[in-house]
PDB file of all heavy atoms in Angstrom:
ATOM      1  N   ARG A 366     -52.704  57.952  -5.815  1.00 82.00           N
ATOM      2  CA  ARG A 366     -52.155  59.148  -6.460  1.00 82.00           C
ATOM      3  C   ARG A 366     -53.035  59.628  -7.619  1.00 82.00           C
ATOM      4  O   ARG A 366     -53.162  60.818  -7.857  1.00 82.00           O
ATOM      5  CB  ARG A 366     -50.740  58.829  -6.945  1.00 82.00           C
ATOM      6  CG  ARG A 366     -49.929  60.014  -7.343  1.00 82.00           C
ATOM      7  CD  ARG A 366     -48.470  59.682  -7.625  1.00 82.00           C
ATOM      8  NE  ARG A 366     -48.294  58.567  -8.544  1.00 82.00           N
ATOM      9  CZ  ARG A 366     -47.739  57.397  -8.212  1.00 82.00           C
ATOM     10  NH1 ARG A 366     -47.317  57.191  -6.987  1.00 82.00           N
ATOM     11  NH2 ARG A 366     -47.602  56.438  -9.100  1.00 82.00           N
ATOM     12  N   LYS A 367     -53.650  58.712  -8.350  1.00 77.00           N
ATOM     13  CA  LYS A 367     -54.445  59.069  -9.526  1.00 77.00           C
ATOM     14  C   LYS A 367     -55.928  59.286  -9.223  1.00 77.00           C
ATOM     15  O   LYS A 367     -56.706  59.526 -10.135  1.00 77.00           O
ATOM     16  CB  LYS A 367     -54.304  57.986 -10.607  1.00 77.00           C
ATOM     17  CG  LYS A 367     -52.917  57.878 -11.176  1.00 77.00           C
ATOM     18  CD  LYS A 367     -52.510  59.169 -11.844  1.00 77.00           C
ATOM     19  CE  LYS A 367     -51.124  59.085 -12.414  1.00 77.00           C
ATOM     20  NZ  LYS A 367     -50.704  60.290 -13.067  1.00 77.00           N
ATOM     21  N   SER A 368     -56.312  59.217  -7.970  1.00 77.00           N
ATOM     22  CA  SER A 368     -57.710  59.445  -7.608  1.00 77.00           C
ATOM     23  C   SER A 368     -58.056  60.911  -7.823  1.00 77.00           C
ATOM     24  O   SER A 368     -57.375  61.807  -7.330  1.00 77.00           O
ATOM     25  CB  SER A 368     -57.942  59.066  -6.143  1.00 77.00           C
ATOM     26  OG  SER A 368     -59.260  59.360  -5.770  1.00 77.00           O
ATOM     27  N   SER A 369     -59.132  61.170  -8.581  1.00 75.00           N
ATOM     28  CA  SER A 369     -59.506  62.564  -8.868  1.00 75.00           C
ATOM     29  C   SER A 369     -60.885  62.892  -8.318  1.00 75.00           C
ATOM     30  O   SER A 369     -61.584  63.744  -8.847  1.00 75.00           O
ATOM     31  CB  SER A 369     -59.468  62.804 -10.382  1.00 75.00           C
ATOM     32  OG  SER A 369     -60.386  61.946 -11.014  1.00 75.00           O
ATOM     33  N   SER A 370     -61.273  62.215  -7.239  1.00 77.00           N
ATOM     34  CA  SER A 370     -62.587  62.501  -6.652  1.00 77.00           C
ATOM     35  C   SER A 370     -62.518  63.790  -5.844  1.00 77.00           C
ATOM     36  O   SER A 370     -61.515  64.118  -5.232  1.00 77.00           O
ATOM     37  CB  SER A 370     -63.042  61.347  -5.762  1.00 77.00           C
ATOM     38  OG  SER A 370     -62.134  61.145  -4.712  1.00 77.00           O
ATOM     39  N   ASP A 371     -63.619  64.530  -5.858  1.00 79.00           N
ATOM     40  CA  ASP A 371     -63.695  65.804  -5.140  1.00 79.00           C
ATOM     41  C   ASP A 371     -64.616  65.605  -3.941  1.00 79.00           C
ATOM     42  O   ASP A 371     -65.843  65.573  -4.082  1.00 79.00           O
ATOM     43  CB  ASP A 371     -64.223  66.891  -6.067  1.00 79.00           C
ATOM     44  CG  ASP A 371     -64.089  68.278  -5.464  1.00 79.00           C
ATOM     45  OD1 ASP A 371     -63.635  68.379  -4.306  1.00 79.00           O
ATOM     46  OD2 ASP A 371     -64.437  69.247  -6.157  1.00 79.00           O
ATOM     47  N   MET A 372     -64.034  65.455  -2.783  1.00 80.00           N
ATOM     48  CA  MET A 372     -64.811  65.176  -1.577  1.00 80.00           C
ATOM     49  C   MET A 372     -65.669  66.366  -1.156  1.00 80.00           C
ATOM     50  O   MET A 372     -66.722  66.176  -0.553  1.00 80.00           O
ATOM     51  CB  MET A 372     -63.868  64.761  -0.434  1.00 80.00           C
ATOM     52  CG  MET A 372     -63.175  63.432  -0.663  1.00 80.00           C
ATOM     53  SD  MET A 372     -64.321  62.079  -0.950  1.00 80.00           S
ATOM     54  CE  MET A 372     -65.075  61.940   0.641  1.00 80.00           C
ATOM     55  N   LEU A 373     -65.250  67.579  -1.479  1.00 84.00           N
ATOM     56  CA  LEU A 373     -66.038  68.748  -1.113  1.00 84.00           C
ATOM     57  C   LEU A 373     -67.369  68.777  -1.881  1.00 84.00           C
ATOM     58  O   LEU A 373     -68.413  69.075  -1.297  1.00 84.00           O
ATOM     59  CB  LEU A 373     -65.241  70.030  -1.374  1.00 84.00           C
ATOM     60  CG  LEU A 373     -65.897  71.328  -0.923  1.00 84.00           C
ATOM     61  CD1 LEU A 373     -66.140  71.311   0.586  1.00 84.00           C
ATOM     62  CD2 LEU A 373     -65.031  72.514  -1.298  1.00 84.00           C
ATOM     63  N   VAL A 374     -67.329  68.426  -3.155  1.00 83.00           N
ATOM     64  CA  VAL A 374     -68.559  68.373  -3.954  1.00 83.00           C
ATOM     65  C   VAL A 374     -69.495  67.315  -3.380  1.00 83.00           C
ATOM     66  O   VAL A 374     -70.698  67.537  -3.213  1.00 83.00           O
ATOM     67  CB  VAL A 374     -68.236  68.088  -5.436  1.00 83.00           C
ATOM     68  CG1 VAL A 374     -69.499  67.794  -6.226  1.00 83.00           C
ATOM     69  CG2 VAL A 374     -67.476  69.244  -6.054  1.00 83.00           C
ATOM     70  N   LEU A 375     -68.958  66.163  -3.059  1.00 80.00           N
ATOM     71  CA  LEU A 375     -69.790  65.095  -2.490  1.00 80.00           C
ATOM     72  C   LEU A 375     -70.371  65.484  -1.134  1.00 80.00           C
ATOM     73  O   LEU A 375     -71.526  65.197  -0.835  1.00 80.00           O
ATOM     74  CB  LEU A 375     -68.990  63.803  -2.373  1.00 80.00           C
ATOM     75  CG  LEU A 375     -68.706  63.083  -3.680  1.00 80.00           C
ATOM     76  CD1 LEU A 375     -67.773  61.913  -3.434  1.00 80.00           C
ATOM     77  CD2 LEU A 375     -69.994  62.610  -4.314  1.00 80.00           C
ATOM     78  N   LYS A 376     -69.550  66.160  -0.324  1.00 82.00           N
ATOM     79  CA  LYS A 376     -70.042  66.577   0.997  1.00 82.00           C
ATOM     80  C   LYS A 376     -71.183  67.589   0.854  1.00 82.00           C
ATOM     81  O   LYS A 376     -72.208  67.487   1.537  1.00 82.00           O
ATOM     82  CB  LYS A 376     -68.909  67.189   1.819  1.00 82.00           C
ATOM     83  CG  LYS A 376     -69.320  67.614   3.217  1.00 82.00           C
ATOM     84  CD  LYS A 376     -68.148  68.249   3.932  1.00 82.00           C
ATOM     85  CE  LYS A 376     -68.502  68.709   5.305  1.00 82.00           C
ATOM     86  NZ  LYS A 376     -69.586  69.667   5.403  1.00 82.00           N
ATOM     87  N   ASN A 377     -71.040  68.542  -0.062  1.00 84.00           N
ATOM     88  CA  ASN A 377     -72.099  69.540  -0.282  1.00 84.00           C
ATOM     89  C   ASN A 377     -73.368  68.882  -0.827  1.00 84.00           C
ATOM     90  O   ASN A 377     -74.477  69.240  -0.426  1.00 84.00           O
ATOM     91  CB  ASN A 377     -71.622  70.641  -1.228  1.00 84.00           C
ATOM     92  CG  ASN A 377     -70.590  71.541  -0.578  1.00 84.00           C
ATOM     93  OD1 ASN A 377     -70.511  71.606   0.647  1.00 84.00           O
ATOM     94  ND2 ASN A 377     -69.787  72.199  -1.385  1.00 84.00           N
ATOM     95  N   CYS A 378     -73.215  67.922  -1.726  1.00 82.00           N
ATOM     96  CA  CYS A 378     -74.395  67.210  -2.259  1.00 82.00           C
ATOM     97  C   CYS A 378     -75.072  66.395  -1.158  1.00 82.00           C
ATOM     98  O   CYS A 378     -76.301  66.342  -1.067  1.00 82.00           O
ATOM     99  CB  CYS A 378     -73.988  66.296  -3.400  1.00 82.00           C
ATOM    100  SG  CYS A 378     -73.564  67.161  -4.912  1.00 82.00           S
ATOM    101  N   LYS A 379     -74.278  65.771  -0.324  1.00 80.00           N
ATOM    102  CA  LYS A 379     -74.838  64.948   0.756  1.00 80.00           C
ATOM    103  C   LYS A 379     -75.577  65.810   1.775  1.00 80.00           C
ATOM    104  O   LYS A 379     -76.655  65.447   2.247  1.00 80.00           O
ATOM    105  CB  LYS A 379     -73.708  64.158   1.439  1.00 80.00           C
ATOM    106  CG  LYS A 379     -74.194  63.166   2.491  1.00 80.00           C
ATOM    107  CD  LYS A 379     -73.073  62.276   2.974  1.00 80.00           C
ATOM    108  CE  LYS A 379     -72.208  62.990   3.959  1.00 80.00           C
ATOM    109  NZ  LYS A 379     -71.232  62.108   4.633  1.00 80.00           N
ATOM    110  N   ASP A 380     -75.007  66.967   2.097  1.00 83.00           N
ATOM    111  CA  ASP A 380     -75.643  67.849   3.082  1.00 83.00           C
ATOM    112  C   ASP A 380     -76.909  68.510   2.531  1.00 83.00           C
ATOM    113  O   ASP A 380     -77.851  68.772   3.280  1.00 83.00           O
ATOM    114  CB  ASP A 380     -74.661  68.927   3.545  1.00 83.00           C
ATOM    115  CG  ASP A 380     -73.529  68.345   4.369  1.00 83.00           C
ATOM    116  OD1 ASP A 380     -73.669  67.206   4.871  1.00 83.00           O
ATOM    117  OD2 ASP A 380     -72.477  69.017   4.486  1.00 83.00           O
TER     118      ASP A 380
END
Side-chain angles (χ1 to χ4, degrees):
R366 193 172 51 245
K367 294 299 180 180
S368 176
S369 61
S370 60
D371 190 357
M372 293 304 292
L373 185 60
V374 170
L375 287 173
K376 182 182 179 302
N377 289 339
C378 288
K379 186 171 79 170
D380 292 342

